[in-house]
Amino acid sequence: MRGAPTPLDGLREAVLAAAGELAGEPSGKTGARGGIVLERPPRADFGDYSTNAALLLAPVLGAPPREVAERLGQELERRLGASLERFEVAGPGFLNLFLADRWLVDALADVLDASETFGAGAAEVRERILVEFVSANPTGPMHVGHARNAAYGDALGRLLTFHGHEVEREFYVNDAGSQVSKLGESILALARGEQVPEDGYQGAYVEQLVHLVKTQSMASAEVGRAAVAVMVAAMQEGLGAFNVKGFDHWAYESKLHEGDPSPVAHTLEILEREGHTYWSEGALWLRSTDYGDDKDRVLVRSNGEHTYFASDIAYHQDKRERGFDRQIDVWGADHHGYVARMKAAYQALGGDPGHLELLIMQLVHLMRSGERAQMSKRSGEFVTLDDLLTEIGVDAARWYLLARSHETTVDLDLDLAREQSSENPVYYVQYAHARIAAVLAKAGVGDIQPIEDRSALARMAQEIELPLHAAERELVKRLLAFPEEVQEAAERRAPHRITAYALALAQDFTAFYRDCRVLGAEPAVVESLRIALCVATQRMIARCLDLLGVSAPREM
């Protein structure tokens, strides 16, 4: 599945076709084609876009790169006509392209024509993807680390969907094993007025579960299961408040041990049949070293109990059998050591390890006045998701948790996150959206989008006698960069690229609004063009914020 070609796609194809012409391959499929790039140079006076095509063509043609760049520029002049104002050869053989105002206005028309679909559906191959994220332990409330996983997994799901994939979301509930009984024991102890066992669960949230004890004769496992149900319901409510889209499925570990055969037994039978397991010292082992793990792993202990790893393997086999092309797991920072063994097990089951992505989130540090923040501990020795939302709100929390790569630690500045100033990036971006809404309302545009007829913009390009302002040009080029930003963010599993793009777009709009009068600009065609720029920018900011799960207010 591919989205509609963008203006930059057309320009890139022109460069490739021109390179192919020089190489004697008019189709543009030159040997150097794969390495040819078209990018924005670091400075506006270096042109609107630059390409390395001549450097790659020079060995093929047996000519100096600068000479090839000159010939390539001439071929592009022939192909692009009036759309190319001029070209310059720079450095060892880079070709800098200066595009005419008409090309930029036509490109803006393409952005407006595409509306909400601009940059969407560009995945080369559409995949059915399962994103499993959060999966917080149901024996306690979600904390700030879970909040980062939630924001990331949700934004990644939105991004992959927008990019053209079929995405489902899943929460895996670890409701099996001794931890559930320990939670029940902790609640029973409090109900009897006793101290919680040393290895039990502490915190005000445990006290709030005492009402689940109906009689003192209740078993700890029964109380634990009832508590898990309450905790899961609280998680669902908390995630909803955090603007996390609903999960398509809540998978329970306990279900993996039910049925005849159970999913765990079924999976172990597959591994045994394929010769990937063996018995030693009364325990069943997986030959995970055959697939790159540093040691073999126990699946069934000598006392007959299944390990957590056995359940985890069965869970991933279940996901495979549900027909997903790709599985993405968003794991906490403490799961790094599980990656190699899970990849090994997945491969032993016949899966392609490249289709199992195990993304490890790094830690979150809350900062206040330059120091680690100590917030409410009423729920135990951690800061809950609810604490965080009370402190800074949903939008700021999501933005700051998404603003850095998942592979890096986040230092979340609580003071800055609450600040309503240009220093606060989420406020800055939202304010740009609200400012545009006010401009359009004053112009009488409102929700009615102007200049939907691309021929109107084409006429504008011919009617405008004054050159576009530098700030207008920069804003158009920033808008055109959105599809590539989406592609990079989706393919690299990097929602933080969208926060960076949204901030840069808001900054470019602020410069445009400062330097270019919109309402009342003369002649009228200039006012219309600038209103069109406002519309396109507002749409793009709103799209970015939606991909991040952040609101796009019309008033602030």
Side-chain angles (χ1 to χ4, degrees):
M1 172 182 178
R2 289 287 295 168
T6 69
L8 286 185
D9 288 336
L11 184 59
R12 186 175 293 104
E13 284 304 314
V15 170
L16 293 174
E21 185 70 29
L22 293 188
E25 301 174 6
S27 65
K29 296 181 179 179
T30 75
R33 179 186 176 100
I36 292 176
V37 297
L38 181 71
E39 57 190 2
R40 289 183 64 180
R43 287 168 42 185
D45 55 346
F46 289 169
D48 297 304
Y49 297 97
S50 179
T51 179
N52 64 342
L55 293 167
L56 298 177
L57 279 174
V60 177
L61 299 177
R66 288 183 61 88
E67 177 186 319
V68 175
E70 183 70 32
R71 291 165 57 191
L72 182 64
Q74 293 170 358
E75 177 61 24
L76 280 171
E77 281 184 327
R78 185 182 71 79
R79 289 176 177 273
L80 296 174
S83 293
L84 182 62
E85 185 177 277
R86 71 182 193 278
F87 68 86
E88 291 180 357
V89 177
F94 290 101
L95 183 65
N96 295 337
L97 306 178
F98 296 79
L99 295 167
D101 288 350
R102 170 180 289 188
W103 187 89
L104 290 167
V105 176
D106 282 345
L108 175 62
D110 284 333
V111 175
L112 288 168
D113 279 351
S115 188
E116 301 300 323
T117 66
F118 185 68
E124 289 283 356
V125 178
R126 180 176 180 176
E127 292 185 316
R128 185 167 179 252
I129 301 175
L130 180 64
V131 181
E132 182 238 314
F133 62 105
V134 186
S135 298
N137 193 317
T139 55
M142 289 181 294
H143 54 63
V144 170
H146 298 134
R148 187 179 190 189
N149 289 23
Y152 176 83
D154 182 58
L156 181 60
R158 293 169 185 252
L159 187 58
L160 292 173
T161 299
F162 185 71
H163 193 47
H165 298 293
E166 180 185 347
V167 178
E168 293 187 29
R169 299 144 170 265
E170 189 152 292
F171 189 117
Y172 181 55
V173 182
N174 301 288
D175 66 332
S178 61
Q179 60 180 359
V180 175
S181 292
K182 284 184 180 180
L183 178 60
E185 291 170 4
S186 302
I187 298 169
L188 283 168
L190 291 175
R192 292 191 294 262
E194 301 172 356
Q195 289 289 326
V196 172
E198 189 172 329
D199 61 347
Y201 291 90
Q202 307 285 340
Y205 80 92
V206 183
E207 297 173 6
Q208 295 169 3
L209 297 172
V210 170
H211 70 279
L212 297 173
V213 179
K214 306 302 181 184
T215 67
Q216 293 296 328
S217 62
M218 291 181 70
S220 60
E222 181 184 2
V223 176
R225 286 193 296 272
V228 165
V230 172
M231 297 305 299
V232 169
M235 289 175 178
Q236 291 172 330
E237 182 178 353
L239 290 168
F242 196 40
N243 199 23
V244 173
K245 288 186 175 181
F247 288 90
D248 298 285
H249 190 216
W250 289 70
Y252 287 80
E253 182 186 356
S254 58
K255 298 294 184 183
L256 297 173
H257 299 276
E258 298 177 1
D260 186 18
S262 68
V264 170
H266 167 64
T267 301
L268 294 183
E269 191 277 329
I270 294 174
L271 292 172
E272 180 181 7
R273 185 177 67 235
E274 297 300 322
H276 299 310
T277 60
Y278 63 94
W279 288 93
S280 177
E281 299 178 353
L284 181 66
W285 297 72
L286 174 69
R287 301 181 192 274
S288 52
T289 52
D290 289 350
Y291 297 99
D293 197 7
D294 60 347
K295 62 181 180 180
D296 291 343
R297 305 290 175 174
V298 176
L299 299 177
V300 181
R301 298 185 180 92
S302 58
N303 63 4
E305 291 183 357
H306 294 103
T307 62
Y308 176 79
F309 186 44
S311 298
D312 213 19
I313 298 172
Y315 175 48
H316 284 80
Q317 176 63 12
D318 174 72
K319 290 193 283 189
R320 284 190 67 227
E321 293 179 355
R322 281 188 268 155
F324 292 100
D325 302 311
R326 185 174 301 275
Q327 296 180 35
I328 299 177
D329 294 358
V330 180
W331 285 356
D334 58 343
H335 283 66
H336 189 273
Y338 290 83
V339 173
R341 71 187 71 170
M342 193 64 249
K343 288 268 192 179
Y346 195 80
Q347 192 169 358
L349 287 166
D352 181 345
H355 293 170
L356 174 63
E357 299 181 29
L358 306 175
L359 307 181
I360 306 297
M361 305 296 296
Q362 293 306 309
L363 299 176
V364 179
H365 297 147
L366 301 180
M367 311 295 292
R368 182 184 283 119
S369 301
E371 298 181 354
R372 295 279 179 89
Q374 296 296 322
M375 291 169 59
S376 167
K377 291 186 179 179
R378 57 187 171 77
S379 301
E381 296 300 315
F382 49 81
V383 179
T384 68
L385 170 61
D386 291 342
D387 292 331
L388 181 64
L389 299 189
T390 299
E391 181 85 3
I392 63 175
V394 174
D395 288 343
R398 288 189 65 115
W399 179 279
Y400 279 91
L401 291 172
L402 290 169
R404 298 286 300 276
S405 166
H406 69 279
E407 298 175 325
T408 62
T409 300
V410 166
D411 290 332
L412 200 166
D413 188 330
L414 297 169
D415 297 322
L416 180 59
R418 286 194 308 271
E419 193 172 303
Q420 295 188 1
S421 75
S422 60
E423 298 300 315
N424 182 351
V426 63
Y427 178 83
Y428 186 92
V429 173
Q430 289 179 315
Y431 184 75
H433 183 272
R435 172 180 277 176
I436 298 173
V439 170
L440 296 180
K442 191 172 181 180
V445 175
D447 290 329
I448 302 173
Q449 309 298 0
I451 321 174
E452 295 294 352
D453 181 1
R454 70 172 295 110
S455 63
L457 273 174
R459 288 193 299 274
M460 262 183 223
Q462 296 174 345
E463 293 173 12
I464 294 177
E465 297 180 358
L466 298 176
L468 291 179
H469 191 283
E472 293 175 298
R473 297 178 66 89
E474 289 302 303
L475 185 53
V476 172
K477 286 184 285 186
R478 185 72 67 185
L479 292 169
L480 296 180
F482 178 68
E484 290 190 355
E485 288 294 339
V486 168
Q487 181 172 337
E488 287 288 315
E491 292 179 354
R492 297 188 183 188
R493 315 305 189 224
H496 69 277
R497 293 183 65 96
I498 302 301
T499 66
Y501 172 81
L503 179 58
L505 177 60
Q507 290 168 337
D508 284 345
F509 174 78
T510 299
F512 157 75
Y513 191 72
R514 178 196 65 216
D515 297 340
C516 302
R517 182 176 183 177
V518 177
L519 302 183
E522 295 290 345
V525 67
V526 173
E527 179 187 58
S528 296
L529 175 65
R530 291 176 178 173
I531 288 175
L533 255 177
C534 288
V535 170
T537 304
Q538 185 189 38
R539 285 180 182 173
M540 208 71 74
I541 291 176
R543 169 55 65 191
C544 289
L545 292 175
D546 181 66
L547 289 173
L548 299 170
V550 176
S551 68
R554 289 181 172 272
E555 297 180 357
M556 291 184 71

